[in-house]
Amino acid sequence: RRAGALMILSVNGMAVTVDGEDPAELAAARELLRQRAVAVGLLAPASEDAETIEAAIEELLEKEAPTPQPGEAECRRYYEQNPAEFQSGDLVHARHILFQVTPQVNVAQVRAWAEETLNELLADPERFAALATEFSNCPSGERGGNLGQIGRGDMVPEFENAVFRFGPTGVLRDLVKTRYGFHIVSVDRRIPGNRLSFEVARDQIAARLSASVEERALRQYISLLAGQAEIEGVELETASSPLVQ
C-alpha cells in the first residue's frame, strides 16, 4: 500500500518502506537476500548498517549463487559468431539526399518523390550532387550531399546499418528510412578497419558472458527465495526449485 509518496510492502512479515521513485521489486528482492543472509549466519539480525548488509549479501551470493566462469571454447565461439563486435575502425565516405518527413507532410507522397529521384540516380549517378543541392533537406545538400568520412557510431543506427553493410560502392539501390525521413545514399569509398585478435578480445568477451550469466543466476536465485517466502504489496517471479545448479 502507499503512504504519501512511500510504498509499504511486506516480506515474510517484515515491513519494507520504499520511496515512491524506487522499484518495489528491487526493495523486495534486497530484503529477501538480507533475510537469507541472516538465516545462514552471515549477518546479525539487528544489523542496520548499509555497507555491512551489502557485504553480507555479496558473500551470500558467492556461496549460494556462484557465477560459472566462461571457458576458452565458449569465449572463442562467441568471438566467431559475433565478428562485427570486434571490428574496429571501419570508415566510409558517403553522400546522401534527405527527403524530410514532418507531421505536416504526406509521407506517401514524400516516399514516392524519393523513389522517383533514386531511380533517376541509379540510371545517372553523376547527377547526385546536383539533385542533392536541389532537393535535400539536410545542410549537406549545399555540399552536394557530402557527409565526409563516417565512422561507426557517428550516425543513427538505421543509417549506419545501411552504409556499413557489406557491398559495393555507389548509390544504394534502396531508400534508407530513419527518424528524419527517407535518404538516398551513395557510399563512395569503404575503408575497412582491423579485427581485434581473439587474444586481445578474450577478457572483454569473458566479462560480457560472465555478466550475462551472473544476472540470470541472480534472477533465478531470487525467484527461488521468493517461491519460499510470503510477500505482500509486490509480485516477484517465483520458482519452487533451483534453475541453476
Side-chain angles (χ1 to χ4, degrees), residues 14-230:
M14 180 70 67
V16 180
T17 303
V18 187
D19 187 291
E21 296 181 356
D22 293 335
E25 294 83 359
L26 182 60
R30 185 177 183 278
E31 178 60 19
L32 280 173
L33 294 171
R34 188 198 68 79
Q35 291 182 16
R36 178 62 180 171
V38 170
V40 298
L42 296 176
L43 181 67
S47 179
E48 296 183 358
D49 179 70
E51 291 187 5
T52 301
I53 294 172
E54 292 301 324
I57 289 175
E58 288 294 328
E59 186 175 355
L60 172 71
L61 294 175
E62 288 178 7
K63 291 178 180 295
E64 297 199 342
T67 303
Q69 295 302 308
E72 185 83 3
E74 187 178 0
C75 290
R76 189 172 289 278
R77 183 164 57 251
Y78 185 92
Y79 176 78
E80 296 298 340
Q81 291 176 349
N82 300 275
E85 290 190 25
F86 310 103
Q87 194 77 16
S88 65
D90 286 351
L91 298 171
V92 296
H93 288 262
R95 293 174 291 165
H96 83 141
I97 302 173
L98 170 63
F99 294 82
Q100 189 174 25
V101 171
T102 66
Q104 293 76 31
V105 304
N106 183 309
V107 175
Q109 288 181 354
V110 173
R111 183 179 190 120
W113 182 23
E115 288 179 341
E116 181 181 346
T117 306
L118 172 60
N119 289 332
E120 290 181 32
L121 287 173
L122 289 174
D124 187 4
E126 296 300 321
R127 297 184 61 206
F128 197 104
L131 293 180
T133 301
E134 183 176 358
F135 296 137
S136 185
N137 297 125
C138 176
S140 65
E142 298 178 0
R143 305 185 301 274
N146 186 17
L147 294 172
Q149 185 172 280
I150 301 170
R152 292 186 183 274
D154 290 344
M155 310 297 285
V156 294
E158 313 94 284
F159 194 95
E160 180 176 308
N161 290 340
V163 298
F164 283 104
R165 187 182 303 135
F166 291 114
T169 57
V171 178
L172 302 187
R173 303 197 66 82
D174 297 305
L175 294 175
V176 177
K177 175 71 170 67
T178 73
R179 69 194 72 169
Y180 302 109
F182 301 99
H183 306 252
I184 297 174
V185 180
S186 176
V187 176
D188 299 327
R189 185 184 177 196
R190 298 182 184 276
I191 306 174
N194 299 314
R195 189 183 186 192
L196 296 177
S197 68
F198 174 73
E199 289 70 26
V200 171
R202 190 196 185 289
D203 288 346
Q204 173 187 340
I205 296 170
R208 182 171 304 178
L209 293 178
S210 180
S212 176
V213 172
E214 182 178 5
E215 180 183 354
R216 185 167 64 250
L218 175 59
R219 185 170 60 249
Q220 293 171 340
Y221 177 66
I222 291 173
S223 295
L224 176 62
L225 295 181
Q228 301 167 346
E230 294 183 5

